[in-house]
Amino acid sequence: MIRFITRNVIVPVLPDIAWEYVGDFDALTSWHPGVPPVEMENNADPTGIGSVRTFS
């Protein structure tokens, strides 16, 4: 059985400010405690197409 959990939170800031944090995929570990550290495979450019990340 597939299960889903959804949680909504209202963040009291302007959208542009929120996107400064959540829009940078590589910065997730700096603001979300549940995300493990991320490393780029083969020192790839994190903005490049096909870049592979490994969560440790």
Side-chain angles (χ1 to χ4, degrees):
M1 173 182 6
I2 298 174
R3 296 182 179 159
F4 296 93
I5 296 175
T6 302
R7 180 173 180 179
N8 296 315
V9 177
I10 296 174
V11 181
V13 297
L14 295 172
D16 289 342
I17 294 171
W19 276 110
E20 287 179 21
Y21 291 92
V22 300
D24 182 2
F25 184 83
D26 294 320
L28 287 176
T29 58
S30 69
W31 62 269
H32 193 296
V35 177
V38 177
E39 293 182 14
M40 297 303 300
E41 287 190 5
N42 302 318
N43 293 319
D45 177 359
T47 62
I49 296 172
S51 299
V52 177
R53 294 166 173 82
T54 303
F55 291 88
S56 53

